[in-house]
Amino acid sequence: MGKNLTQGIEKAPQRSLYKALGMTDEELSRPLIAVISAKSDIVPGHMHLDRIADAVKAGIYAAGGTPFVIPSIGVCDGIAMGHAGMKYSLPSRELIADSVEAMLIGHAFDGAVLIPNCDKIVPGMVMGAVRVNIPTVLVSGGPMEAGVVKGHKVSLSTMFEAVGATQAGKMSRDELCYLEDHACPGCGSCCGMYTANSMNCLMETLGIALPGNGTILATSAERLRLAKEAGKLIMKAVADDVTPKMILTKRAFLNAVACDNAIGASTNSVLHLIAIANECGIELTYDMFRAAADVTPNLCKLSPATEYDMDALGKAGGIMAVLKELSRKNLIDGNVLTVTGKTLAENFANAEITDPEVIHTCDEPLSPIGGLAFLKGNIAEEGAVVKRSAVRKEMLKFTGTAKCYNSEEEAVRAIMGGEIKEGNVVVIRYEGPKGGPGMREMLSPTSALVGMGLDASVALITDGRFSGATRGAAIGHVAPEAAAGGKIGIIRDGDKIKIDIPAGKLDLDVSAKEIAARMKKFKPKEINPSGYMLRYSYLVTDAPHGAVMKKKF
């Protein structure tokens, strides 16, 4: 594509603009590579991406290409959490995809290296690259180191839970302040198996990123070497014309779904895998995830469920060791192509588990079934999702009394104000893709419940979603959402709600006659967004379809 702008007398005006950038004729004779970086000064996971981009550029130059760094936006979910800013988090994925598409086509690049790190930036960049379908490699900025307080590893999720603990009188303000100073020691994506790290691990599995992408620390020299390799590798992909759609096949996505369950990844990974597959023309459904969860053992339990972090996973053998172990039970198709030019099986051939406490074997798994669970019932006729591996055993089956709130803010005030008691099911609605709009993460209320010691006796359901840092009986993605007329909108305070995660059930314990009567009178709450969010609320699909934009309207 780049030669379309750099060759021939008719392209002299374009060449003059390249030369205004300081480009030489020799540089313009080489493949032109976009280095799409989410570097910013506001996101800890992105603050160092200029160093990663420089390493990628070095690799591209060394392999005979000409790199150009171009920017991407990125919302920090941790900073956006608990206020209106979180409404823009998931919708920003679509903006990122659109901007990647626009920049790659607008400048006729020959190839692209994607440098995201956090949450929805990873899938957003891949979605845009798939649309253009030029050779693409992804290399993330890497996970943050864990903080250490009193000999224990701490992280962002510790901070959110500490708020509830302080409110409940279990932690002093001075202790909270000390924790605040030490929980997040430096750059990188937050250190547990949260959404960012989940997605970066799954990029390895999909084959669009190099082995180690999800686990090598942001501060490690090895991360810079990985970035240089990515820069060199994109030149090979351009020469061989290996494009994303050749790599992101249905078999590759089913591998990712299996890995997702094995590592106990964030529930957000379900949204994002479905969204990326959609761009590839591949249908992924909850039923496919459920089928994989039923046969895939849970091999890893990482932060927030334990103190094991991403660094521990990497040192134990990383994602390649997980995939090799799953392949022993024929749960991974190793014949799929990857950006390395090798098959996935060739990538993990030399991997091994070096710490069986961090990566369990299929013969001695943490659980014989996967880390994610998918529920259905009269509340969630189209489905709901929960991170089963982060739910306490006593909460896997639970019947509780509903306490209903029409926004996250209302629920947080109730939790912090002591309104929630043992035996309650907190219901948060009008937080779905359309109703939020934006499908906010509910880390603040779930963390407050954990911090106040209620995670063993209180559940939470929402048509919104959860951070990967969430633990407890937190059931999200309830569909249809309240704004679309879903039955979560007719639940009343005092209603009984039955949760049976092993059986995949989520039901309102009210007669069918009463439900029908309530639905007849039900009118969803009006929402009045403006700007981008107005367009988003009109065009967004539901959670089971990845909360992507409608292609026809």
Side-chain angles (χ1 to χ4, degrees):
M1 292 175 65
K3 288 184 171 56
N4 294 334
L5 293 184
T6 60
Q7 305 297 312
I9 61 170
E10 71 278 10
K11 292 299 186 284
Q14 285 86 345
R15 287 196 297 275
S16 73
L17 290 171
Y18 281 116
K19 289 181 177 180
L21 298 171
M23 293 291 105
T24 65
D25 287 328
E26 181 183 358
E27 287 174 305
L28 294 179
S29 71
R30 300 171 178 175
L32 308 183
I33 309 299
V35 179
I36 306 179
S37 171
K39 154 71 180 175
S40 76
D41 291 338
I42 191 61
V43 184
H46 296 173
M47 62 184 287
H48 66 303
L49 294 189
D50 52 349
R51 294 180 64 220
I52 304 296
D54 285 344
V56 169
K57 287 171 64 179
I60 292 170
Y61 273 125
T66 300
F68 296 86
V69 175
I70 57 179
S72 169
I73 64 167
V75 174
C76 177
D77 281 11
I79 293 174
M81 199 72 67
H83 63 95
M86 179 50 75
K87 292 178 182 287
Y88 285 82
S89 170
L90 183 61
S92 74
R93 185 188 69 187
E94 314 310 307
L95 287 175
I96 292 164
D98 289 349
S99 64
V100 168
E101 174 191 353
M103 293 299 281
L104 291 182
I105 294 178
H107 300 94
F109 283 108
D110 295 295
V113 178
L114 312 177
I115 311 178
N117 210 28
C118 294
D119 298 284
K120 79 303 305 167
I121 296 97
V122 178
M125 284 191 181
V126 175
M127 289 162 68
V130 166
R131 294 176 192 171
V132 183
N133 203 35
I134 59 174
T136 300
V137 177
L138 182 144
V139 57
S140 76
M144 185 186 291
E145 295 179 59
V148 178
V149 172
K150 296 181 180 179
H152 293 283
K153 289 184 176 181
V154 294
S155 63
L156 180 66
S157 62
T158 316
M159 282 307 311
F160 275 95
E161 291 173 9
V163 173
T166 303
Q167 185 70 17
K170 297 180 179 183
M171 179 180 287
S172 70
R173 291 293 181 92
D174 287 344
E175 288 174 317
L176 179 67
C177 184
Y178 185 83
L179 186 61
E180 178 183 323
D181 290 340
H182 295 85
C184 300
C187 66
S189 50
C190 298
C191 68
M193 188 55 81
Y194 311 152
T195 305
N197 293 326
S198 296
M199 292 309 301
N200 281 320
C201 288
L202 295 178
M203 292 304 108
E204 289 186 50
T205 309
L206 284 171
I208 201 165
L210 281 74
N213 179 70
T215 55
I216 298 171
L217 287 175
T219 52
S220 168
E222 188 179 0
R223 174 61 57 177
L224 296 178
R225 294 197 295 272
L226 187 77
K228 289 177 182 177
E229 286 299 318
K232 289 162 55 178
L233 191 59
I234 188 59
M235 299 311 300
K236 184 177 186 304
V238 168
D240 296 340
D241 197 25
V242 176
T243 62
K245 287 185 179 180
M246 295 168 64
I247 293 166
L248 302 175
T249 62
K250 185 168 185 177
R251 291 184 299 160
F253 280 104
L254 293 178
N255 284 342
V257 171
C259 181
D260 199 345
N261 276 284
I263 62 177
S266 163
T267 51
N268 282 324
S269 61
V270 177
L271 281 173
H272 296 324
L273 285 176
I274 291 173
I276 298 169
N278 177 70
E279 295 292 350
C280 297
I282 295 168
E283 185 181 24
L284 276 188
T285 66
Y286 281 5
D287 285 342
M288 293 178 186
F289 278 90
R290 185 182 296 108
D294 288 344
V295 299
T296 307
N298 181 207
L299 305 182
C300 304
K301 185 171 283 192
L302 303 171
S303 173
T306 69
E307 285 193 11
Y308 292 127
D309 57 12
M310 299 307 297
D311 187 37
L313 176 59
K315 289 175 179 175
I319 294 303
M320 291 299 115
V322 172
L323 297 179
K324 186 175 183 179
E325 182 62 21
L326 292 176
S327 72
R328 290 180 52 243
K329 300 294 184 181
N330 296 316
L331 296 169
I332 291 292
D333 184 343
N335 294 317
V336 295
L337 179 66
T338 73
V339 290
T340 64
K342 301 176 182 178
T343 65
L344 187 62
E346 288 174 314
N347 284 352
F348 64 62
N350 296 321
E352 61 180 50
I353 297 172
T354 59
D355 187 343
E357 291 299 312
V358 179
I359 303 175
H360 289 242
T361 65
C362 290
D363 296 327
E364 296 183 3
L366 289 159
S367 167
I369 53 178
L372 299 178
F374 297 81
L375 315 182
K376 280 192 174 183
N378 59 14
I379 296 174
E381 292 160 312
E382 294 176 14
V385 185
V386 62
K387 190 172 182 177
R388 174 168 42 200
S389 59
V391 178
R392 296 173 67 123
K393 288 183 179 179
E394 58 266 42
M395 293 298 291
L396 290 171
K397 291 185 178 182
F398 180 75
T399 298
T401 304
K403 292 282 288 183
C404 301
Y405 305 94
N406 288 340
S407 71
E408 178 188 9
E409 288 85 355
E410 289 180 24
V412 170
R413 284 194 295 270
I415 294 167
M416 301 297 281
E419 292 180 22
I420 305 304
K421 308 297 183 185
E422 291 185 8
N424 283 156
V425 177
V426 179
V427 178
I428 307 178
R429 55 204 176 195
Y430 297 104
E431 291 287 5
K434 178 181 176 65
M439 202 177 185
R440 285 194 288 183
E441 290 184 343
M442 303 286 126
L443 182 57
S444 294
T446 56
S447 297
L449 291 172
V450 172
M452 298 174 81
L454 293 171
D455 57 315
S457 58
V458 171
L460 188 150
I461 68 170
T462 181
D463 50 13
R465 62 193 179 103
F466 294 109
S467 164
T470 291
R471 58 187 172 119
I475 299 165
H477 305 205
V478 170
E481 61 175 295
K487 291 186 175 67
I488 189 173
I490 64 164
I491 301 173
R492 297 175 180 171
D493 285 352
D495 285 345
K496 292 293 182 183
I497 294 175
K498 291 184 175 181
I499 298 167
D500 189 337
I501 293 174
K505 298 288 187 181
L506 176 62
D507 287 298
L508 177 63
D509 191 15
V510 172
S511 71
K513 183 178 180 180
E514 172 64 15
I515 288 175
R518 292 186 193 180
M519 288 298 292
K520 190 173 182 180
K521 297 177 181 178
F522 177 45
K523 290 183 179 180
K525 183 182 76 171
E526 288 188 11
I527 56 171
N528 297 292
S530 60
Y532 172 58
M533 298 309 292
L534 175 62
R535 300 194 301 277
Y536 182 83
S537 66
Y538 275 123
L539 298 176
V540 71
T541 61
D542 59 15
H545 291 93
V548 298
M549 296 287 209
K550 297 173 185 174
K551 288 190 172 4
K552 294 181 180 180
F553 49 88

